[in-house]
Each structure stands twice: as structure tokens, then as C-alpha cells.
Amino acid sequence: MHRNHKPAPAVRTARLASCALLATAAALVSCERGSSDGADETATGPSGCPAVHARAQAAVTRAERTDIPWGGPTGGPAAVSGRAIVYVAQTMTNPGVAGAAKGVREAARVIGWDVRVIDGGGTPAGIQAAMSEAVALRPAGIVIGGFDPDSTASQAARANAQGIPLIGWHAVPEPGPSRRPDLFTNVTTRVQDVARISAQWIISDSDGRAGVVVITDASIPFARNKSDLIRKELAACSGVKLLSVENIPIPDASSRTPREISSLLSRFQDRWTHSVAINDLYFADAAPAFRAAGEKGSGPPFNIGAGDGDPSAFQRINSEQYQAATVPEPLTLQGWQIVDEFNRAFAGRPASGYTAPVHIATEGNSEGATTWDPSGYQEAYRKIWGK
């Protein structure tokens, strides 16, 4: 459900009161600091990009629907019994990685498999050690949980040589099988779709007039690619101005984000109307800095997470505490999908080819929920597995 406010920066500044006394729109614009970049138009003016704005509104309306039927597989091999898999996590402090791991554990209990989770701790050395441990266990399969397989190329090669199938979760940019690196499949929404709808939400929400901060982790190729795609989509609207791209590694988010938010508020003040981060967790760490600066929890700036839709993100959205929307991964579903894909690999069958659709969750359509999952997937997978 699209919010009806018109969040132009002028709403946030006391200067507008004196500017409103001026007779012409030109005088109003010249009175507003930073107007030369086009991000300080009034809320009553025309859209900053009418055609792009209209397309964005239509896309957002579709993505905010909650009555999406199950569109995944309805057939496949029955459960292969007695398998053990290892989930290697980039870091379990990443809510998306942890949420997918939770889904894997849940589905493994249903299908009757053992699961071990090894936390890489978010560092290259830690992830390599975790992968080495995983391969040494000689499991039936290994999950690459949220990190670049090329960063553990030697370990992945050993797994491939031993016939251990690797399945990625957000491991490479595209969903589906991968030859280089060699993954049976990669489970993710399409990063292009997530990036596009995140930017379109900003364009729609701002009526095509916004000053935007993008937050990313350039050390993760998947995340860097996502933020690059977001920037490209934002650039399609001439009324949207990119104020800053902040590179904050996810393991450093809790320490660095509050400082960066304080600095950004000081630099951009009323020009900053919207933010988009490649992961919701940044807004958990940003909230204290926004609060200390006296910013309202309901915005602006209006913040959207381009993944992963963890429970804390929903809680911030539902209580209007420094996050307005998220493009959630259906994390539990993706955990179940990972188990189903392994079952197909063990049975000598190809990957399912399923990719979950993008969704936008807001206070208006989440109905108090703290997760997003399409309906029907558990019943479908149980029927396939005979469980």
C-alpha cells in the first residue's frame, strides 16, 4: 500500500515558512539551500520524471500485493534419506544469512536430514577456515551462505573433486546453476529485480524528487552489484539526485553506521529525503544516530532495505522507527528451496529453476507480520518429498 505523503525536503525545514511568503516559485526555489541540484522542489509541483514515475508507481503497486500464489515446483524426486549437509555462513550476524540457515534447518527436520552450521565470522580468513572445515567433514552437500565462492576457490575445488554438490544462497549475482564457480544452483531473488523495485519505490514515494543516500558493502560482489544497479535505476529519474554512496562492510556496520549517519545528516541536512541499503541491518544501526539528531522515526529520510527482510526490519517498519519499507527475501522459503535443490542433486535430477518474486513490505501491507513468505510452499515441498 503506497503511502500518501509527499516527502519533499522542504517539509523538513523551517526555512520554508519564510520562503512561503515569497510570491513566485522561483523565489521559493532560490530560498531553499542546495536547490541547484534539483532535489529541493516543492511537494506540489509536477513529478521530476513523469514517465519514469508512472512506471515506478505501477511496479510498486504490483510488488506490494500480498496475495501471491505459490509459483514454484509442484513435482520432483521423493526424499533421499539419511543425508547430512553443512551450511557455511558468511556471518550469522547478517540477518539474511541467518534467516536462510533457519529455513534450511526447518526443512531438513521435515525431510529427515542432519544440518551443521559453521559461522565464517565475516572475515576472509574465517570464511576460508569454515569452508575447509566443511569440506573435511565430507558431507553430502555444502551451502555457500552469502559469500563469494571465488574467495574460497581451493576449498570449493576440493568439494567439487569429491563430488560434493555446492548450493549458493546469494553467492553469485544470478539465480540458478553456475559453471564458474561450479554451483549446482544459486538460491536468490533476481538482484536486478530487487535493485529496480527498491529504486522505483523511492521514485514513486518521492513523486520523482528525492535526495538519496545509498549504503552498500563493496567487499561482497553480490552487494556491490546490487548497489550499482540501484544507482543505475535511480539515474533514470532526472529529479532524483544521488547524494552519497557509503561503503560500510557488514561486519563493521554496528560501529561505523552511527558515525556515518551523523556525518551525512550534518552534510546534507534537508536535501537527504530517502535512503536505500543493500541490507536492512544498516537501519538498525542507523536508528540511534537518527534519534540523537532529533529525526522523526516516521521520516524523512524515508529508508528502504533492498534485502533481506529480517524480523527486526519488519518491527522497525511496523512501528515507524527509521525504516519505511523493505524488499524482503522469503528467507524461510529459500531455506526450504535449498533443501529441495539438494534433494534433486542427490537424486541425479536438474535444479528446479524456481526464483521467488520480489515483494515490497510496508507498514500498510505487512499487517504486523515479521517475515515474508509466499503461501503454499511448505505443502508443495512436503508433497514432492512424500513427507
Side-chain angles (χ1 to χ4, degrees):
M1 183 178 299
H2 181 63
R3 293 178 295 126
N4 292 322
H5 69 265
K6 306 292 185 181
V11 175
R12 301 175 59 211
T13 175
R15 283 195 298 273
L16 184 57
S18 60
C19 290
L21 298 175
L22 298 176
T24 66
L28 175 60
V29 173
S30 66
C31 184
E32 179 64 32
R33 181 190 61 77
S35 61
S36 61
D37 68 4
D40 297 308
E41 300 176 41
T42 64
T44 56
S47 169
C49 51
V52 174
H53 177 247
R55 288 195 297 272
Q57 278 189 314
V60 167
T61 298
R62 288 192 301 272
E64 288 182 344
R65 288 180 54 194
T66 57
D67 56 343
I68 304 298
W70 171 240
T74 55
V80 175
S81 63
R83 299 303 170 101
I85 59 176
V86 175
Y87 185 106
V88 179
Q90 180 247 349
T91 170
M92 290 294 280
T93 63
N94 181 326
V97 171
K102 179 175 178 290
V104 168
R105 284 174 165 143
E106 182 181 289
R109 284 195 296 271
V110 172
I111 204 170
W113 296 350
D114 292 326
V115 176
R116 179 170 178 177
V117 175
I118 304 176
D119 190 348
T123 67
I127 293 167
Q128 289 173 5
M131 269 294 285
S132 293
E133 182 180 352
V135 175
L137 290 170
R138 293 183 175 269
I142 297 173
V143 183
I144 306 294
F147 59 91
D148 180 6
D150 288 340
S151 69
T152 58
S154 62
Q155 293 90 342
R158 288 202 299 274
N160 294 150
Q162 293 174 22
I164 301 171
L166 303 177
I167 291 180
W169 180 84
H170 285 211
V172 294
E174 295 294 331
S178 169
R179 295 188 63 184
R180 294 183 181 179
D182 188 357
L183 303 178
F184 179 75
T185 195
N186 182 53
V187 175
T188 179
T189 49
R190 288 186 175 86
V191 67
Q192 299 94 329
D193 295 343
V194 173
R196 182 181 302 112
I197 202 66
S198 303
Q200 287 176 322
W201 181 86
I202 290 174
I203 293 167
S204 176
D205 192 68
S206 68
D207 284 340
R209 296 183 306 277
V212 184
V213 169
V214 175
I215 305 174
T216 189
D217 181 347
S219 71
I220 303 173
F222 183 91
R224 184 176 63 246
N225 181 44
K226 185 190 292 185
S227 57
D228 287 346
L229 291 167
I230 290 169
R231 292 170 63 184
K232 181 179 179 181
E233 190 67 28
L234 290 172
C237 181
S238 60
V240 171
K241 303 304 174 186
L242 181 64
L243 301 178
S244 180
V245 177
E246 297 296 315
N247 175 28
I248 304 175
I250 286 174
D252 300 336
S254 60
S255 61
R256 285 189 49 187
T257 303
R259 296 198 306 268
E260 298 297 341
I261 294 298
S262 296
S263 174
L264 290 165
L265 286 168
S266 177
R267 287 169 60 195
F268 298 117
Q269 301 180 36
D270 304 323
R271 296 165 62 199
W272 182 9
T273 69
H274 290 76
S275 314
V276 55
I278 55 93
N279 192 300
D280 291 302
L281 66 83
Y282 290 105
F283 297 125
D285 297 317
F290 283 127
R291 193 174 291 113
E295 301 291 336
K296 292 182 179 180
S298 57
F302 301 98
N303 302 318
I304 181 169
D308 292 303
D310 65 282
S312 68
F314 277 86
Q315 290 162 6
R316 288 190 297 276
I317 291 165
N318 293 335
S319 60
E320 296 187 318
Q321 289 298 303
Y322 306 103
Q323 186 164 352
T326 184
V327 183
E329 295 288 301
L331 298 172
T332 306
L333 156 63
Q334 289 176 339
W336 281 64
Q337 183 185 349
I338 287 168
V339 169
D340 181 66
E341 301 290 6
F342 272 127
N343 194 57
R344 292 168 191 270
F346 301 154
R349 301 280 287 276
S352 73
Y354 174 64
T355 302
V358 293
H359 174 70
I360 296 175
T362 67
E363 187 272 334
N365 71 358
S366 67
E367 298 181 343
T370 57
T371 58
W372 160 251
D373 275 304
S375 61
Y377 70 91
Q378 294 188 14
E379 296 83 354
Y381 283 130
R382 283 178 179 271
K383 185 175 180 181
I384 292 170
W385 302 337
K387 296 291 184 175

